[in-house]
Amino acid sequence: MSTERRTRRDLRVQTFKERKEGRLTKLPSTFYKRLKILEIQIREIIEESKDNTQRLEKANADVRKFSDMKLELHKNRERKLTDLAREKVNGQNPNMENVHHNENEYLISLCTVIEKHRANTLLNENSNVADIPGLKEKKIKREEKTTKKIEPQSDEYIEIKVLED
């Protein structure tokens, strides 16, 4: 079995596992490197197939399938990494063993962003109304409700209460 087929199959299997599992799944240490090599190989085939329409169409279809699977895998892993970051910030002890070494920077950045967001919004540590442009305290004046009588054409009267402007 060629490296290309094995890598494409690995991507398909990993994407399916990631979709089905609730927690982050384990990736081989060379997974992302092999994906990059496969993508380069497919693009080389496209370049070589400019004169062969059938082969070019198949290569383009392969690129679309590859891109779709890769995107789905990334979306699922990013969602799970976000859950792990939230657990970590909450002081829980999340299982980090399945975090790929290529994803560590992403996870650390997520933790930083969540902590900063909570400090600014939930804990109100850095919030000051004067610091927010265009936001000044306004007193909202309550308007009195008025009643107007409208005289119809006939001898009947209709009473209308105006509740808002």
Side-chain angles (χ1 to χ4, degrees):
M1 186 184 285
S2 74
T3 306
E4 180 182 335
R5 280 196 192 137
R6 191 182 81 227
T7 305
R8 230 181 353 190
R9 188 181 136 285
D10 290 347
L11 176 60
R12 189 173 25 260
V13 167
Q14 192 63 44
T15 302
F16 182 74
K17 274 175 48 178
E18 207 65 57
R19 186 184 324 140
K20 296 297 178 191
E21 292 288 323
R23 289 286 184 187
L24 202 62
T25 60
K26 184 81 171 161
L27 288 177
S29 62
T30 60
F31 185 77
Y32 287 112
K33 183 180 178 182
R34 289 192 345 241
L35 280 185
K36 187 69 176 164
I37 292 169
L38 175 60
E39 188 170 11
I40 290 168
Q41 289 173 347
I42 293 172
R43 296 204 185 278
E44 285 173 355
I45 291 171
I46 289 173
E47 285 300 314
E48 294 169 4
S49 303
K50 297 277 184 190
D51 298 332
N52 186 339
T53 308
Q54 268 186 322
R55 191 169 180 208
L56 182 62
E57 286 177 10
K58 183 182 179 334
N60 283 329
D62 286 348
V63 166
R64 280 192 298 276
K65 288 176 194 172
F66 173 82
S67 296
D68 289 346
M69 280 191 293
K70 192 168 110 176
L71 180 63
E72 183 181 349
L73 178 67
H74 279 279
K75 282 181 179 179
N76 286 322
R77 289 192 71 82
E78 286 171 355
R79 180 180 45 80
K80 292 174 184 182
L81 286 165
T82 303
D83 291 343
L84 283 177
R86 206 171 27 250
E87 289 173 15
K88 191 173 174 86
V89 170
N90 287 342
Q92 300 167 331
N93 192 15
N95 182 358
M96 308 289 277
E97 70 182 38
N98 290 343
V99 177
H100 193 272
H101 59 86
N102 286 10
E103 299 166 332
N104 278 327
E105 183 180 352
Y106 179 76
L107 181 64
I108 292 166
S109 296
L110 280 173
C111 290
T112 304
V113 168
I114 292 169
E115 287 169 347
K116 186 176 179 182
H117 175 71
R118 287 184 181 179
N120 290 337
T121 57
L122 183 64
L123 304 175
N124 293 323
E125 289 178 358
N126 298 327
S127 64
N128 186 356
V129 174
D131 295 339
I132 302 172
L135 184 63
K136 295 179 182 177
E137 286 189 41
K138 284 186 183 178
K139 289 190 176 184
I140 300 172
K141 186 172 72 173
R142 187 174 181 151
E143 295 183 17
E144 292 182 28
K145 297 178 183 175
T146 59
T147 303
K148 294 182 182 179
K149 290 188 178 183
I150 299 174
E151 197 172 314
Q153 299 294 338
S154 64
D155 291 338
E156 297 178 24
Y157 289 94
I158 301 172
E159 186 173 292
I160 300 174
K161 290 184 180 180
V162 177
L163 302 176
E164 294 180 352
D165 281 344

